Amino acid sequence: MIAQADKSGHRVVGGLMLDRVAASGRLTGWRPEGGLDLAYPLGGHLTHRLLHGAPRKIVLARHDVTVASGNHRAPSHRPDADRICAVHHFRDSGTQDNASRCFIPSIHVPGRKSSIV
């Protein structure tokens, strides 16, 4: 993706947020031995559909590019619309009060397993 962005002259690489949840659709605890993909097999655009959150993310940027708060955009820079990464947000009940949501972001690159960033 980096080489393609350099070749095409894009100074940022974009992604689209995909919320991942447990098979039950509930916020559950996570144990590392099973892996994230097994613990949270379902994906959808929950943040965007339910909370009207911005689904787009800047996942890579050149060192001199300013990225806005939340990494949703980089003023004056547009990612290549044909080269978008899936940004997986794993939903976990965590240890916070009232079972609040805890985000564990990762990037999916086609042909590779998800990796936490």
Side-chain angles (χ1 to χ4, degrees), residues 21-103:
V21 296
S24 67
R26 295 176 182 225
L27 299 177
T28 61
W30 175 68
R31 294 181 14 207
E33 57 272 1
L36 289 171
D37 288 329
L38 184 61
Y40 306 103
L42 303 178
H45 301 286
L46 302 175
T47 298
H48 176 62
R49 295 287 194 174
L50 299 175
L51 304 175
H52 305 289
R56 293 175 187 86
K57 290 282 193 177
I58 299 298
V59 297
L60 294 170
R62 300 287 299 199
H63 70 91
D64 57 345
V65 172
T66 300
V67 179
S69 175
N71 293 351
H72 291 285
R73 64 186 178 287
S76 303
H77 299 281
R78 291 190 181 268
D80 184 347
D82 294 327
R83 305 276 185 202
I84 299 293
C85 296
V87 179
H88 295 244
H89 275 198
F90 294 89
R91 300 294 188 148
D92 178 308
S93 62
T95 57
Q96 299 177 14
D97 294 339
N98 300 320
S100 60
R101 289 178 282 274
C102 173
F103 301 112

